[in-house]
Amino acid sequence: NAGVTQTPKFRVLKTGQSMTLLCAQDMNHEYMYWYRQDPGMGLRLIHYSVGEGTTAKGEVPDGYNVSRLKKQNFLLGLESAAPSQTSVYFCASSHRMVIQYFGAGTRLSVL
Amino acid sequence: GENVEQHPSTLSVQEGDSAVIKCTYSDSASNYFPWYKQELGKRPQLIIDIRSNVGEKKDQRIAVTLNKTAKHFSLHITETQPEDSAVYFCAAIRAGGTSYGKLTFGQGTILTVHP
């Protein structure tokens, strides 16, 4: 039981490049989330999903897209990376909406 | 939407002292309040939580109190140890019914425990 697994752990992009972050959970959770963490700003919700095939916008969705084609996977895409998207990204999952298990995080730098 | 304010942003204590972190929330419908601890370079981990039908909850050296009327809740750590040094986040959510489970986090408190 690996819990919530994120790949990659680190990535450096140039402005304008695209990339996809993968989150996988093996706990059969319905709910999955993508957060970004910036110094002094806590964790801010980017997008979330309440089930396979469904996604919704969170607090800071601009510049990101997501997909939940399989229940266990939640992908976060950056189509054209910007320096403002330099951050640490955390994926999380939960069963009953209230307790979230976090992945180890992806540290992204956009130059 | 919900807004959670957390204070202080930094807290420095001597080993053995107590530490208190306070949060206020805006949505009176919020009914579940978890606290997370994040060590340097690690993922946030749930350490304790409290539901709105309870005023206080304890787990060894940590406790959480909730005042629904004032819409604030606090984390108390007694007999602090150097390994308690971390960033602590409070959060609030309206859970149940048609809620889709969006946690709103506070900005975090950097706790440093000096030996």
Side-chain angles (χ1 to χ4, degrees):
Chain A
N1 189 333
V4 180
T5 303
Q6 288 183 235
T7 52
K9 290 184 170 54
F10 303 95
R11 185 71 184 269
V12 178
L13 291 177
K14 295 180 179 179
T15 297
Q17 286 185 318
S18 63
M19 75 163 294
T20 300
L21 283 68
L22 171 64
C23 177
Q25 53 94 3
D26 59 4
M27 297 174 281
N28 201 34
H29 285 166
E30 289 293 332
Y31 302 89
M32 296 187 75
Y33 314 80
W34 276 107
Y35 291 92
R36 61 177 289 173
Q37 185 176 35
D38 303 294
M41 302 189 75
L43 289 146
R44 292 183 294 168
L45 184 64
I46 304 171
H47 286 280
Y48 64 99
S49 169
V50 301
E52 182 179 321
T54 70
T55 64
K57 294 180 180 180
E59 181 185 355
V60 287
D62 293 342
Y64 305 94
N65 56 75
V66 288
S67 64
R68 183 102 180 264
L69 299 179
K70 294 183 179 181
K71 185 177 184 179
Q72 64 268 33
N73 295 337
F74 195 29
L75 279 63
L76 177 71
L78 286 74
E79 292 186 346
S80 179
S84 61
Q85 294 178 305
T86 293
S87 188
V88 180
Y89 292 85
F90 286 99
C91 176
S93 72
S94 62
H95 174 55
R96 287 187 176 274
M97 298 186 293
V98 295
I99 299 178
Q100 297 188 349
Y101 299 87
F102 287 89
T106 296
R107 189 173 297 275
L108 175 66
S109 293
V110 183
L111 306 177
Chain B
E2 175 65 279
N3 182 51
V4 178
E5 296 287 334
Q6 182 173 347
H7 299 280
S9 56
T10 61
L11 180 59
S12 183
V13 300
Q14 290 296 126
E15 183 176 1
D17 288 350
S18 295
V20 180
I21 302 170
K22 299 181 180 181
C23 291
T24 60
Y25 61 99
S26 60
D27 187 352
S28 57
S30 290
N31 57 7
Y32 176 74
F33 308 92
W35 285 86
Y36 294 84
K37 175 184 181 182
Q38 186 179 27
E39 297 176 353
L40 187 63
K42 301 283 184 66
R43 75 190 76 191
Q45 292 193 304
L46 179 71
I47 56 170
I48 195 168
D49 56 20
I50 191 167
R51 298 181 188 273
S52 60
N53 58 350
V54 176
E56 182 175 1
K57 184 177 179 180
K58 291 184 70 174
D59 183 4
Q60 299 182 344
R61 293 186 299 108
I62 60 174
V64 58
T65 58
L66 171 65
N67 183 327
K68 285 191 295 182
T69 303
K71 290 191 283 188
H72 66 71
F73 56 112
S74 301
L75 177 71
H76 305 254
I77 306 174
T78 58
E79 300 173 17
T80 54
Q81 301 168 3
E83 50 265 40
D84 294 328
S85 296
V87 181
Y88 291 80
F89 292 98
C90 62
I93 185 175
R94 179 177 56 183
T98 58
S99 171
Y100 40 66
K102 288 196 307 180
L103 275 177
T104 299
F105 287 87
Q107 297 86 349
T109 296
I110 302 172
L111 174 63
T112 304
V113 181
H114 299 282

